[in-house]
Amino acid sequence: MTSHHSATPGDAPDSAAPAGTDTVPSTTTGALPALVESLDSPETIATAVSAQLEAFLAEKAAEFEAISPDATAIGEALIEFTRGGKRIRPVLLWWGFQLAGGEVRAGTSNGAPAGPMTEASADVAVGLAQAAGSLELLHAAALIHDDVIDNSDTRRGRPALHRQFEARHRTSGFRGDGASFGVSASIVIGDICLALSEELFERSQEVLGDSRSARELRGTVRRDVMVGQYLDVLAEVIPLEDERIADRAWEVLSFKSAKYSVEQPLLLGAALAGADCVLLEEISGFGLPLGQAFQLRDDVLGIAGDPEATGKPAGDDIREGKRTVLIAETAARISADQLGVLASRLGDPDLTDTEVAECVDMISASGGLAAVESFIADKHAHAATIVDTWAGGDASAVPAEGSTASARVRIGSAAQERLKGFAKALSYRSS
Amino acid sequence: MTSHHSATPGDAPDSAAPAGTDTVPSTTTGALPALVESLDSPETIATAVSAQLEAFLAEKAAEFEAISPDATAIGEALIEFTRGGKRIRPVLLWWGFQLAGGEVRAGTSNGAPAGPMTEASADVAVGLAQAAGSLELLHAAALIHDDVIDNSDTRRGRPALHRQFEARHRTSGFRGDGASFGVSASIVIGDICLALSEELFERSQEVLGDSRSARELRGTVRRDVMVGQYLDVLAEVIPLEDERIADRAWEVLSFKSAKYSVEQPLLLGAALAGADCVLLEEISGFGLPLGQAFQLRDDVLGIAGDPEATGKPAGDDIREGKRTVLIAETAARISADQLGVLASRLGDPDLTDTEVAECVDMISASGGLAAVESFIADKHAHAATIVDTWAGGDASAVPAEGSTASARVRIGSAAQERLKGFAKALSYRSS
């Protein structure tokens, strides 16, 4: 067994210490930090980000069409695809900026100023929405390729992109194999989406001022999610008895999801506000455990979620063969015979509902499920404690090892409530 | 029929007019241009670029390994894959820099200074090699995904990357379907390669000084090759009788290859040297027709190339079903019956050698092959004329329409010889 699940803020990830901070907008470096009274609401942030994203994609769609009328479908598909996101990463990027002392108010760029904002503030809101939109495009690209890799049929309640292009092949009377066409088109459109993500990020840098620290973090985000994806692909073909099963599950969980979905968006936002290494590490201490709780919950929902709430069949992750921490914790607790059964069923898309249910029972009865619930509780509590510390709460509750003596982030009660509500929702959601 | 094949330098592509030039190293903007006596040799450039590329990939491979020992294969595969390139794009980028007046000598960064160079020149050589290496990584990413899309078995004399990972699946005793694993791993590794291409380009910008014009061109390169790739995927499933067959073939030829492989590397190099719009357009007047000749030759070799020289079976493009300009020119010249036969055979991997040979005969007998040879001759002559003009030759030979009255690029006889030799080799190579 590993001790990854007891990671503390002292386990500073590489990404928390980029090689320098040379950017500027509203930084708090060094001096006593300003109190962050409140954070923008997720809804306002999502609106601002969606507006920038749609404007950018409309512009790009026109460029594609100018190259060839046949390329029109690319822009249409991307506009449609990116409309469906939950915008978790944009919200976290925005809050990271605000937590690090960056001055911005969502809504100021949309003709609905939330107070006496200057023109510069509106520019910052645009640039930040572009940076956040860039993360959404990176995520869309990852999902498009993910769905090809997992041979998934649906995404965000619609057919997966490769299925959409397969259908287009059929309705257009194209020649050859429709499934292959769908896959080929989706590989290329995922690549285009990745390229657009770069472009939108570059645009944000022109507005916000070029930040080497943010650029480096951006590179780390890209790298980590992709390497995490490779490890995930690999994990599914390695025998369940392999001794690195738990290590690998934690690597995939951390790099493909926890860092990429929660910790790194926060850090990127903070870096855009000019945060230094110490501040980034402090934010990481909140973001990494919360990201881990977020993905551990995903693992639990994939096995024991209510199909009504998740929209996915019960035990969906069994048929998909995902090698989650939950599977690793189960594998460590069952007999060799049981392990043989589980190994033979994981990843078999043709399992009966009864066979799936037996696996789910095994995972639950083994104590694996309870172990993961306990990890989630720990990770969530850890993240919540950090928030309380930022709000001037019980400082002694902060783990001593490796962390700074006193909090650099300082927040008011409205921001505290916002962060804790979000952390709880990520850790204990039912869908 | 279209008139794409009669494109002149007056047909300025979008990419030739980016929105501003704010970079600096050794520009010639406005003033009378300096005479470019000679251009570095392709061999010296390739050596400098390979050194930077290998150093960068070794550094990244170590990062991947630090994330997980299981990720070691990613770095190894990329180092191996990028070793095999012909470095055409790096050479053209380097020459674009030199033609625009940028001062650099290949070899100055490798401990073998070619004269009394300053430390700053060595830095420029490093930065330029990184920018060129970034193009090689973009190309490698495109090839990795291309091979998945085309279901190709080999690349650069070795198994295609997805076949390598399929073999790894077999030898490692992994579970599940090896072919799927190979495809999944290659999609992800192609994505990683794309991300590394961005990172190496950013690094070059830190050395050379940030250039908005170069950044925008870089975005255009990425976009054009990917949209061209989408159009290529689409072309293969559209019936041969479609009225846009010729337009589409020229679009794929120009965007997926001519611009990306020849014109844009030259322009990117020139932009890195601080070239303004007028200078970029002038270089484009040479690069675009040469790029078109380069790809038209590729089309001819794919049908009528000598298997001994190309290393590919005779008529390979027939079985692959590529919709080249050569196919479009043939389709416009044959009877409805013949078109039916050609349509039924294109893209059928199981054709007999006799069936392939019949198609090749049809392409030749129809006059399609001769038409394309004539396009090549025109394009090549056009590019060669521009070179002569730069060398102070017969200025009246430059097409008048839309082009500037006098050449901004000025080259000596050594550079003239180098460029003409390269243009001839690209247009009339046998492999």
Side-chain angles (χ1 to χ4, degrees):
Chain A
M1 279 309 302
T2 73
S3 60
H4 281 97
H5 55 274
S6 62
T8 70
D11 292 333
D14 287 356
S15 56
T21 53
D22 51 3
T23 186
V24 175
S26 320
T27 174
T28 62
T29 314
L32 192 71
L35 182 73
V36 180
E37 285 289 359
S38 65
L39 298 167
D40 287 321
S41 78
E43 296 73 24
T44 330
I45 297 169
T47 303
V49 173
S50 297
Q52 288 301 320
L53 196 51
E54 299 229 350
F56 174 71
L57 287 176
E59 179 192 323
K60 293 294 132 184
E63 281 183 24
F64 301 155
E65 206 169 335
I67 290 178
S68 167
D70 290 330
T72 310
I74 304 171
E76 289 171 355
L78 287 177
I79 289 171
E80 183 67 36
F81 191 90
T82 50
R83 227 168 238 163
K86 288 182 210 157
R87 312 285 191 233
I88 290 174
R89 293 161 195 81
V91 167
L92 288 165
L93 179 140
W94 201 278
W95 287 353
F97 187 85
Q98 295 187 310
L99 288 172
E103 284 187 23
V104 68
R105 276 287 169 254
T108 49
S109 61
N110 306 334
M117 303 300 288
T118 63
E119 220 170 279
S121 304
D123 278 353
V124 171
V126 167
L128 207 57
Q130 289 171 335
S134 160
L135 280 188
E136 283 294 273
L137 288 174
L138 175 63
H139 190 51
L143 295 179
I144 290 169
H145 283 177
D146 241 31
D147 287 345
V148 169
I149 288 170
D150 295 341
N151 195 22
S152 304
D153 293 327
T154 58
R155 168 65 64 184
R156 294 173 173 171
R158 304 192 57 227
L161 197 72
H162 61 110
R163 295 281 182 241
Q164 290 179 33
F165 277 81
E166 186 178 346
R168 181 185 290 264
H169 185 279
R170 196 168 47 242
T171 56
S172 307
F174 290 158
R175 293 163 48 97
D177 182 46
S180 293
F181 174 73
V183 165
S184 298
S186 293
I187 292 176
V188 179
I189 293 176
D191 289 346
I192 292 173
C193 193
L194 204 52
L196 295 185
S197 167
E198 302 302 329
E199 198 170 332
L200 191 53
F201 185 75
E202 277 165 26
R203 211 172 269 205
S204 79
Q205 293 280 282
E206 282 166 23
V207 178
L208 298 173
D210 200 47
S211 157
R212 181 172 175 172
S213 152
R215 271 192 197 285
E216 289 185 352
L217 256 167
R218 158 89 188 164
T220 307
V221 175
R222 248 180 352 216
R223 180 198 68 194
D224 286 357
V225 66
M226 290 172 179
V227 172
Q229 169 72 328
Y230 174 82
L231 295 174
D232 198 17
V233 165
L234 187 69
E236 289 186 13
V237 299
I238 291 184
L240 208 52
E241 298 77 10
D242 187 86
E243 58 177 12
R244 286 199 78 252
I245 176 176
D247 284 341
R248 199 176 290 115
W250 277 98
E251 286 162 4
V252 172
L253 176 128
S254 296
F255 286 92
K256 188 181 168 184
S257 180
K259 288 169 164 290
Y260 162 71
S261 299
V262 180
E263 182 204 25
Q264 290 169 339
L266 280 165
L267 294 179
L268 189 53
L272 288 169
D276 61 14
C277 295
V278 178
L279 189 49
L280 290 178
E281 193 167 333
E282 191 172 311
I283 291 174
S284 180
F286 162 72
L288 186 56
L290 178 56
Q292 289 169 325
F294 168 74
Q295 183 56 42
L296 288 166
R297 174 59 57 203
D298 217 58
D299 295 353
V300 169
L301 292 173
I303 295 292
D306 175 5
E308 290 265 321
T310 63
K312 293 195 272 187
D316 196 42
D317 278 3
I318 304 286
R319 286 196 183 89
E320 263 208 38
K322 285 199 189 153
R323 301 307 173 81
T324 60
V325 170
L326 178 53
I327 295 294
E329 289 296 325
T330 300
R333 286 172 168 80
I334 55 182
S335 68
D337 283 355
Q338 285 179 307
L339 192 59
V341 173
L342 189 60
S344 71
R345 293 188 179 177
L346 268 183
D348 178 353
D350 302 322
L351 291 184
T352 66
D353 287 351
T354 309
E355 288 167 327
V356 169
E358 284 168 6
C359 290
V360 173
D361 284 347
M362 194 189 292
I363 290 165
S364 176
S366 70
L369 189 59
V372 170
E373 283 292 355
S374 153
F375 294 160
I376 294 174
D378 288 351
K379 298 290 182 189
H380 170 253
H382 193 113
T385 303
I386 304 264
V387 174
D388 289 339
T389 313
W390 289 345
D394 180 12
S396 68
V398 187
E401 18 166 354
S403 63
T404 49
S406 64
R408 284 273 303 282
V409 179
R410 287 175 57 228
I411 58 178
S413 59
Q416 179 186 22
E417 198 178 325
R418 183 82 86 190
L419 282 178
K420 289 184 81 171
F422 199 78
K424 190 159 187 184
L426 287 190
S427 307
Y428 291 101
R429 69 197 192 280
S430 62
S431 68
Chain B
M1 278 310 302
T2 73
S3 61
H4 280 96
H5 55 274
S6 62
T8 70
D11 293 333
D14 288 358
S15 57
T21 53
D22 51 4
T23 186
V24 176
S26 320
T27 174
T28 63
T29 314
L32 192 71
L35 182 73
V36 180
E37 285 289 1
S38 65
L39 298 167
D40 286 322
S41 78
E43 296 72 23
T44 329
I45 297 168
T47 303
V49 172
S50 297
Q52 287 302 321
L53 196 51
E54 299 230 349
F56 174 71
L57 287 176
E59 180 191 323
K60 293 296 133 181
E63 281 182 26
F64 301 155
E65 205 168 338
I67 290 177
S68 167
D70 290 330
T72 310
I74 303 171
E76 288 171 355
L78 287 177
I79 289 171
E80 183 68 35
F81 191 88
T82 50
R83 226 167 241 164
K86 288 182 210 158
R87 312 287 191 232
I88 290 174
R89 292 160 195 83
V91 167
L92 289 165
L93 180 139
W94 200 278
W95 286 351
F97 187 84
Q98 294 187 310
L99 288 172
E103 283 187 25
V104 69
R105 277 287 168 252
T108 48
S109 61
N110 306 332
M117 303 301 288
T118 64
E119 219 171 280
S121 305
D123 278 352
V124 172
V126 168
L128 207 57
Q130 289 171 335
S134 160
L135 281 188
E136 282 294 273
L137 288 173
L138 175 63
H139 190 53
L143 294 180
I144 290 169
H145 283 178
D146 242 29
D147 286 344
V148 169
I149 288 170
D150 295 340
N151 197 23
S152 304
D153 293 328
T154 58
R155 168 65 64 183
R156 294 174 173 170
R158 303 192 58 228
L161 197 71
H162 61 109
R163 295 281 183 240
Q164 289 180 32
F165 277 82
E166 186 178 347
R168 181 186 289 263
H169 185 278
R170 197 168 46 243
T171 55
S172 306
F174 290 159
R175 292 163 48 98
D177 181 45
S180 293
F181 174 72
V183 165
S184 298
S186 293
I187 292 176
V188 180
I189 292 175
D191 290 346
I192 292 172
C193 193
L194 204 52
L196 294 185
S197 166
E198 301 302 329
E199 199 169 330
L200 191 52
F201 185 76
E202 279 165 27
R203 213 172 270 202
S204 79
Q205 293 281 283
E206 283 165 23
V207 178
L208 297 173
D210 200 46
S211 156
R212 183 172 172 170
S213 154
R215 269 191 198 287
E216 289 185 352
L217 258 167
R218 158 91 190 163
T220 307
V221 175
R222 248 179 355 215
R223 181 199 67 193
D224 286 356
V225 66
M226 290 172 179
V227 172
Q229 169 74 328
Y230 173 81
L231 295 174
D232 198 18
V233 165
L234 187 69
E236 289 186 14
V237 299
I238 290 184
L240 207 52
E241 297 77 11
D242 187 85
E243 59 177 13
R244 286 199 78 253
I245 176 175
D247 284 341
R248 200 176 290 116
W250 277 98
E251 285 161 5
V252 172
L253 175 129
S254 296
F255 286 92
K256 188 179 168 184
S257 181
K259 287 169 164 290
Y260 163 71
S261 299
V262 179
E263 181 203 25
Q264 291 169 339
L266 280 166
L267 294 179
L268 189 53
L272 288 169
D276 62 15
C277 296
V278 178
L279 190 49
L280 290 178
E281 193 168 330
E282 191 172 311
I283 291 173
S284 179
F286 164 72
L288 185 56
L290 178 58
Q292 290 170 325
F294 168 73
Q295 182 55 42
L296 287 167
R297 174 59 55 202
D298 217 59
D299 295 354
V300 169
L301 292 172
I303 295 292
D306 175 6
E308 290 266 322
T310 63
K312 292 195 274 185
D316 196 41
D317 280 4
I318 305 284
R319 288 196 182 89
E320 263 207 38
K322 285 197 189 155
R323 302 305 173 83
T324 61
V325 169
L326 178 54
I327 294 296
E329 290 296 325
T330 301
R333 286 172 167 80
I334 55 183
S335 69
D337 283 356
Q338 285 179 306
L339 192 59
V341 172
L342 188 60
S344 71
R345 293 186 180 177
L346 268 184
D348 178 353
D350 302 323
L351 291 183
T352 65
D353 287 350
T354 308
E355 287 167 327
V356 168
E358 285 169 4
C359 291
V360 172
D361 284 346
M362 193 189 293
I363 290 165
S364 176
S366 70
L369 190 59
V372 170
E373 283 292 354
S374 153
F375 293 160
I376 295 174
D378 288 350
K379 299 288 181 190
H380 171 252
H382 192 114
T385 304
I386 304 265
V387 174
D388 288 339
T389 313
W390 289 346
D394 179 11
S396 68
V398 186
E401 19 165 354
S403 63
T404 50
S406 64
R408 285 275 302 281
V409 179
R410 287 176 56 227
I411 57 177
S413 58
Q416 180 186 22
E417 197 178 326
R418 182 82 86 192
L419 281 179
K420 289 184 82 170
F422 199 77
K424 191 158 187 187
L426 288 190
S427 307
Y428 291 100
R429 69 197 192 279
S430 63
S431 66

